[in-house]
Every structure is written in structure tokens, then in C-alpha cells.
Amino acid sequence: MASSSNKRLLLKMLSLFSVVRGYNILVLIVAQYLTSAFILAPELPLREILFDDNLFFLILSSATVIASGYIINNFYDSEKDLINRPKKTMLDRFVSQRTKLSVYFILNLLAIFFASYVSFRAVVFFSIYIFAIWLYSHRLKRILFLGNLVASILTITPFFVVFVYYKNFETVIFIHATFLYLMIVMRELVKDLENMKGDLIQNYQTIPVVYGERLSKLFLSILCVLAIVPILLLITRYDTGYMNYYFYVSLLLLVFFLLFLYFSKAKWQYLLLHNILKLIIVVGVFSILLIDIQEVLNRVF
């Protein structure tokens, strides 16, 4: 009896971890710290960044808001996800909708509490961020073009938080941010192609639903070509150290993406394209350490 109860508790914990995309949250936290330490404030001692209370609470607020955002998005998309991701949805349903909403409100309250440690402006910012995520999940994501635009802006906002905190306005940072933003926009559009069936049934006005696969793939191809521009700029005009190898690999992956996109029609093919973009984004986070390996070793040891 106890074994059955423990098994059910474990399943509920796994279900909640799946709903809040725990792995994404962990990557986000690491990404914000690495961006702060090696791009936005490379002149500061690593210890000073890691033990900066204000930065810690800003990142913690970002993480809790994003986690709550995944919950409310899951709440509103439950019917659509049952069509597009039946296996994941079955796992997510081990936690009731009521429990999900309770955790959603708790996480948002925690985010505001953490932000209050930093400043009143941080509280206002994260309050607006929470509202924007709810509005997107409830209504905006169903609106043509606006859904994709808002989704990509909300995704990149946590990096905007640390950018504003350090007030580093170097051109190279904007180029890095442009590349990341284009990857996120492309990923959102590929997700729409991947989830076309559920979006059509649930009357979501996405680009593939309204304009069809052919025009969506053309638009995606244009974004892919545009994404190559910041890569070439970072390789040829700026010293990114061994991170150059990451950009060379990303360039090859984007060329493959472009070629494979042309032949893609099935859901598994769009899923592969989605995973390529996700790989570029995630590997890019850890590749920040390659900008200056010697400096990383000096600051760590």
C-alpha cells in the first residue's frame, strides 16, 4: 500500500516537473549566469557575480515566472496537446488542473517576493511579465503573427533582465541577441508546423493554418538565411575565441535545416527540425565558456 502511494507521489512529481519543463528552467538559470559572467560583465570577478544577491533574486524571479508560464500555457492548451502530444499529455495529467493552478499562483507570488528584494521597479517589471505570459496563453497565441512575435519576446525576456542589470550596450552583445532571437522565432514557427493538426482543430490562427505549409516554409527559409548574417558577423568581425567552432557548426546545421525543410511534410520531420534549433540554442549557452578558455580557467581557479 505504501509502495503504491510512493509510486503515485513520484509520478505526480515527474508530472509537475514535465509541466514546468524543469530541464528548460535549469538551462535558463545556467544561461543567465554564463551570460552575466562571460558576456555582460567579463571584467568582474566570478565570485562577485555568483554571490551577487540582486542578480540571484532576479534570476530566481525569472525562473519562477517562466515555470508558472509553462503551467498556465499547459492549462489552456490541454485539449490541443492531447492531439499533438498525447504521451506527454498523459504524464502531465497525473497532476490535476486545480493543483496546477494552485502551483501557478504560488510561483507567481514567490516571483514577486523575490523581486521585492531587488527593487520596486523589479516588482513592477515581473508583475507585467506575469500578466503578459497569462495574456499570451489565454488569448494572444491564437492571433496570427502576434502569437509568434509575443512568444519569442517572452522567451528572450529573462536575458533582457540581466542585460538591463549590467547595462552593457556593446554592439557584439546585440548581434549575439539577434542570433538568439532569430533562433527562437524559427523554433516557434517550426512548432506551429509540427502542431498544425491540433491548432486547426482548436481554431488557432497560426501562420501554417492560415497560409499553409508552403508559405510557412518560405518564411522559415528567409528567417534561416537572416540568422546566418549574425553568425558571419561574429566570426569575421569579432573575437569570439573558440566559440567560433560553435558558430561554424551552427552554420552547417542551418544549411542542413534549410535543405531538410524543403522536403519536410510529416510531423516527425518537423520534430527533427525543432530539435536541431533547440540543440543550437542549448549548446550555444555552454559555448559561451569557449569565448576565452584561459580567462575562464583563471577566474574559476
Side-chain angles (χ1 to χ4, degrees):
M1 196 72 176
S3 175
S4 176
S5 178
N6 290 337
K7 186 178 178 182
R8 186 162 185 80
L9 179 63
L10 180 63
L11 281 170
K12 284 189 174 184
M13 288 173 65
L14 285 171
S15 175
L16 195 58
F17 186 81
S18 172
V19 171
V20 302
R21 312 277 179 89
Y23 42 87
N24 284 1
I25 303 299
L26 291 173
V27 170
L28 172 67
I29 292 169
V30 172
Q32 285 178 292
Y33 268 115
L34 289 179
T35 303
S36 300
F38 300 106
I39 293 182
L40 296 173
E43 74 288 348
L44 293 178
L46 191 59
R47 184 181 179 85
E48 191 175 320
I49 291 170
L50 293 176
F51 294 99
D52 183 339
D53 290 349
N54 285 338
L55 179 63
F56 172 75
F57 281 110
L58 282 174
I59 290 175
L60 202 55
S61 294
S62 297
T64 48
V65 170
I66 293 293
S68 73
Y70 281 129
I71 291 174
I72 200 66
N73 198 52
N74 178 277
F75 178 82
Y76 285 116
D77 280 356
S78 58
E79 296 302 318
K80 187 183 82 165
D81 287 343
L82 193 59
I83 300 165
N84 292 326
R85 300 184 185 90
K87 290 181 181 178
K88 184 182 183 301
T89 304
M90 293 308 291
L91 175 62
D92 293 351
R93 289 196 170 191
F94 275 99
V95 176
S96 68
Q97 296 287 66
R98 184 177 177 179
T99 302
K100 287 174 188 174
L101 283 179
S102 298
V103 175
Y104 167 75
F105 286 114
I106 290 168
L107 287 173
N108 284 335
L109 287 172
L110 284 172
I112 298 302
F113 175 73
F114 296 144
S116 68
Y117 179 90
V118 182
S119 68
F120 178 71
R121 283 189 301 176
V123 170
V124 172
F125 176 85
F126 282 105
S127 298
I128 293 170
Y129 191 28
I130 289 166
F131 175 74
I133 290 174
W134 170 80
L135 188 63
Y136 163 75
S137 300
H138 177 58
R139 189 170 297 275
L140 298 184
K141 72 183 306 178
R142 294 173 178 266
I143 301 173
L144 186 64
F145 291 115
L146 189 61
N148 295 79
L149 178 65
V150 173
S152 51
I153 291 171
L154 291 174
T155 304
I156 207 168
T157 297
F159 295 96
F160 176 76
V161 171
V162 290
F163 168 76
V164 170
Y165 180 65
Y166 284 109
K167 297 181 174 65
N168 188 332
F169 303 106
E170 289 184 34
T171 306
V172 66
I173 291 168
F174 285 101
I175 297 172
H176 271 281
T178 301
F179 174 67
L180 175 61
Y181 182 73
L182 287 168
M183 289 296 99
I184 291 168
V185 173
M186 287 171 64
R187 185 167 166 257
E188 289 298 322
L189 185 50
V190 171
K191 279 166 64 179
D192 286 343
L193 283 164
E194 185 187 337
N195 299 328
M196 207 169 148
K197 184 179 176 182
D199 289 340
L200 191 62
I201 293 170
Q202 294 296 316
N203 198 30
Y204 280 57
Q205 297 298 296
T206 64
I207 294 170
V209 167
V210 175
Y211 294 108
E213 284 185 74
R214 189 176 176 182
L215 276 177
S216 300
K217 286 159 77 170
L218 176 62
F219 184 46
L220 198 48
S221 300
I222 293 168
L223 288 172
C224 190
V225 172
L226 288 175
I228 292 172
V229 176
I231 290 178
L232 295 176
L233 285 173
L234 288 166
I235 289 172
T236 58
R237 296 197 178 184
Y238 297 94
D239 181 14
T240 54
Y242 287 106
M243 196 180 182
N244 267 2
Y245 291 112
Y246 160 74
F247 289 120
Y248 285 129
V249 173
S250 296
L251 190 58
L252 289 173
L253 285 173
L254 287 177
V255 171
F256 172 79
F257 178 95
L258 207 53
L259 294 172
F260 194 76
L261 175 66
Y262 181 78
F263 299 102
S264 296
K265 289 182 180 179
K267 183 180 172 71
W268 71 268
Q269 292 170 318
Y270 291 127
L271 179 60
L272 175 61
L273 292 171
H274 178 190
N275 287 331
I276 288 171
L277 295 175
K278 195 171 183 179
L279 180 68
I280 291 172
I281 293 168
V282 174
V283 173
V285 169
F286 297 98
S287 295
I288 291 170
L289 294 168
L290 300 175
I291 293 174
D292 192 336
I293 293 176
Q294 190 58 51
E295 181 64 21
V296 172
L297 293 173
N298 290 340
R299 292 174 75 188
V300 171
F301 301 106

